[in-house]
């Protein structure tokens, strides 16, 4: 009885220990996460991979397989994704399912293992600027160093990584003599140690990595993440901002609020949505934009212009802070402003549009004669009439028309009292007379 009680106590203590300090090895997950890296490498992809890696780590995944098929992408995004790969303790496998070029090759080199399909390629990793030209020496040198470091970190010969990014490396046996970048086929990559094995398909990959008995968890980007990847593309950003600026400009020339305004605000909404999902913008940048917009609206009710200028500055600052690259955002904003200016010129010059919004800011009434506004009476009916000087004209003085006294100016010199004068010119309040022999009409 006593022995049974002691055994029960031991079992309870053991269970308590297991619950308090779970043994990872005893309860290790047998899940393998299959994550695609397709299309361009950009900041939206980084946000997706960050979520996928976090989920894999939370579930104690045994391995992460990165299914790579990409022509490359942006250096800053590739660098951030590489940091994700280096920071995880989970086994990472690059499955080059066709091409891993440029930033794709860089990411593959950060994986613990690389496997390629028979017609797969890896390389062609020269860094280029947004215009498609070779980057400056500073950017080129940094990128080459990063490629070499990626290879060395996984005990791969860095000379081939350098040749992928630097045309000065001479490897004629791999079609990469001086002046050409290195791109390795599957068999060549295996020969130089850049590929562990060539596999026909994903199932062969699982067998080669001894993961064929594991549960495969395929992670796909959500609709929001796909949209964010599209919106945050540096080519799409200036287009989106141009649509926003053009829509709002057209709205300024239209009475009320209609389709152009909705289009402009929707484009701005998409911009902030995509950049927030991608992790580039936070609520503070959105708040900055809203405050700027509120100040611009307040300008319609507060005279002076300072409030509107401050609001515009806050909006520009929020857009710049939301972007992945400050210089790229400045260029995108400049393009959008240029489109807005061209739109304004076309609307005013060719369509004769006027800013309806100014009706509430500027007094539009003109004090024209047609509207009944006159600064003085224009006495054109006096032309040709004769009056009598009742004061000397030197040359200004007063004459008499019947019982009406009128101030006049003589055309020439002095005119004595009692002389007759004829009105020869009327210029507003200025009436010019000339001495005459004609008699005044009674």
């Amino acid at each position: 009885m006593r022995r049974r009680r002691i055994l029960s106590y031991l079992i309870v203590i053991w269970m308590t220990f297991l619950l308090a300090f779970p043994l990872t090895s005893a309860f290790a997950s047998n899940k393998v996460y299959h994550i695609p890296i397709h299309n361009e490498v950009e900041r939206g992809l980084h946000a997706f991979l960050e979520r996928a890696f976090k989920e894999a780590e939370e579930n104690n995944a045994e391995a992460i397989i990165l299914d790579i098929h990409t022509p490359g992408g942006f250096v800053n995004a590739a660098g951030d994704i590489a940091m994700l790969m280096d920071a995880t303790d989970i086994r990472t496998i690059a499955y080059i399912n066709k091409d891993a070029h440029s930033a794709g090759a860089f990411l593959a080199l950060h994986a613990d293992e690389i496997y390629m399909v028979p017609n797969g390629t890896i390389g062609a990793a020269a860094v280029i600027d947004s215009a498609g030209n070779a980057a400056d020496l500073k950017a080129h040198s940094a990128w080459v160093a990063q490629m070499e470091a990626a290879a060395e970190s996984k005990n791969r010969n860095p000379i081939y990584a350098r040749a992928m990014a630097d045309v000065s490396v001479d490897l004629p046996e791999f079609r990469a003599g001086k002046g050409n970048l290195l791109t390795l086929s599957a068999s060549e990559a295996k020969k130089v140690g850049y590929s562990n094995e060539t596999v026909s398909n994903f199932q062969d990959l699982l067998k080669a990595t001894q993961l064929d008995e594991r549960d495969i968890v395929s992670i796909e980007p959500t609709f929001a993440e796909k949209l964010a990847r599209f919106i945050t593309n540096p080519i799409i950003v200036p287009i989106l901002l141009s649509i926003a600026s053009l829509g709002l400009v057209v709205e300024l020339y239209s009475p009320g609020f209609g389709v152009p305004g909705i289009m402009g605000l929707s484009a701005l909404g998409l911009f902030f949505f995509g950049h927030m999902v991608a992790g580039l913008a936070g609520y503070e940048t959105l708040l900055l934009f809203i405050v700027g917009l509120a100040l611009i609206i307040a300008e319609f009710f507060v005279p002076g212009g300072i409030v509107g200028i401050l609001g515009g500055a806050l909006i520009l600052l929020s857009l710049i802070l939301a972007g992945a690259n400050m210089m790229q955002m400045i260029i995108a904003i400049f393009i959008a402003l240029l489109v807005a200016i061209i739109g304004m010129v076309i609307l005013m010059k060719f369509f004769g549009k006027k800013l309806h919004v100014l009706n509430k800011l500027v007094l539009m009434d003109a004090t024209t004669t047609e509207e009944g506004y006159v600064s003085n009476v224009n006495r054109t009916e006096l032309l040709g009439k004769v009056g009598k000087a009742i004061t000397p004209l030197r040359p200004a003085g007063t004459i008499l028309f019947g019982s009406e006294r009128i101030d006049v100016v003589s055309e020439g010199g002095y005119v004595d009292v009692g002389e007759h004068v004829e009105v020869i010119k009327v210029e507003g309040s200025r009436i010019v007379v000339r001495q005459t022999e004609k008699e005044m009409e009674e």
Side-chain angles (χ1 to χ4, degrees), residues 140 302 317 330 360 381 431:
H140 172 73
V302 180
L317 180 62
I330 291 173
K360 297 181 180 179
E381 75 277 3
I431 300 172

Side-chain angles (χ1 to χ4, degrees), residues 11-307:
I11 292 173
V12 170
I13 293 170
W14 177 248
M15 292 299 293
T16 304
F17 180 79
L18 289 178
L19 290 173
F21 306 98
L23 297 177
T24 304
S25 58
F27 298 98
S29 171
N30 62 348
K31 292 180 180 179
V32 173
Y33 275 69
H34 180 208
I35 306 171
I37 297 181
H38 295 166
N39 303 318
E40 281 193 331
V41 175
E42 28 64 36
R43 286 305 300 247
L45 175 64
H46 171 260
F48 161 62
L49 291 176
E50 190 173 35
R51 174 178 68 85
F53 271 66
K54 183 178 180 181
E55 184 178 326
E57 289 169 353
E58 289 174 349
N59 289 291
N60 298 317
E62 184 176 345
I64 293 175
I65 298 176
L66 298 174
D67 193 319
I68 301 176
H69 177 45
T70 174
F74 298 91
V75 172
N76 53 356
D80 291 339
I81 294 171
M83 288 177 64
L84 277 178
M85 298 173 66
D86 293 339
T88 187
D89 294 326
I90 301 173
R91 176 187 177 190
T92 54
I93 300 168
Y95 171 46
I96 300 178
N97 191 12
K98 187 64 174 74
D99 299 318
H101 294 167
S102 192
F106 176 71
L107 295 180
L109 291 177
H110 277 273
D112 298 322
E113 304 163 43
I114 299 176
Y115 293 82
M116 300 175 66
V117 295
N119 61 342
T121 56
I122 180 173
V127 62
I128 58 175
D129 59 23
S130 57
N133 302 314
D136 57 42
L137 291 176
K138 183 178 178 181
H140 172 73
S141 176
W143 177 245
V144 171
Q146 289 180 59
M147 287 289 291
E148 289 183 320
E152 289 175 342
S153 67
K154 303 300 178 181
N155 297 315
R156 300 183 180 105
N157 190 338
I159 187 64
Y160 301 107
R162 182 180 185 87
M164 291 177 181
D166 188 355
V167 295
S168 66
V169 179
D170 188 20
L171 294 174
E173 65 273 25
F174 297 111
R175 306 168 308 284
K178 284 189 177 181
N180 294 312
L181 295 173
L182 174 64
T183 300
L184 295 172
S185 66
S187 59
E188 291 168 339
K190 183 180 178 182
K191 180 179 179 182
V192 300
Y194 271 42
S195 171
N196 295 70
E197 190 62 70
T198 301
V199 293
S200 300
N201 49 48
F202 187 70
Q203 292 303 318
D204 283 351
L205 169 69
L206 295 177
K207 291 177 182 178
T209 54
Q210 298 181 348
L211 297 172
D212 50 329
E213 299 297 327
R214 307 298 189 269
D215 294 332
I216 306 301
V217 180
S218 294
I219 302 294
E220 293 292 337
T222 63
F223 174 77
E225 288 169 336
K226 288 179 181 178
L227 186 60
R229 289 191 64 181
F230 176 76
I231 290 171
T232 55
N233 190 302
I235 298 173
I236 300 300
V237 168
I239 296 174
L240 203 60
L241 293 182
S242 296
I243 292 172
S245 64
L246 190 60
L248 294 176
V249 162
V250 173
E251 186 61 42
L252 291 176
Y253 287 86
S254 305
F257 189 82
V259 174
I262 294 172
M263 180 181 71
L265 292 179
S266 297
L268 286 173
L270 280 173
F271 171 83
F272 279 103
F273 169 79
H275 285 73
M276 289 179 72
V277 170
L280 298 172
Y283 287 107
E284 67 280 359
T285 54
L286 182 60
L287 181 62
L288 204 63
F289 175 81
I290 293 172
V291 171
L293 188 62
L295 289 176
I296 289 179
I297 294 173
E299 179 62 32
F300 292 102
F301 307 98
V302 180
I306 297 176
V307 173

Side-chain angles (χ1 to χ4, degrees), residues 338-359:
L338 186 62
V339 169
I341 292 170
I342 293 172
M344 291 177 70
V345 170
I346 292 173
L347 286 172
M348 290 189 295
K349 203 77 172 172
F350 298 98
F351 294 96
K353 295 285 186 178
K354 295 181 180 179
L355 280 172
H356 287 272
V357 72
L358 292 182
N359 292 343

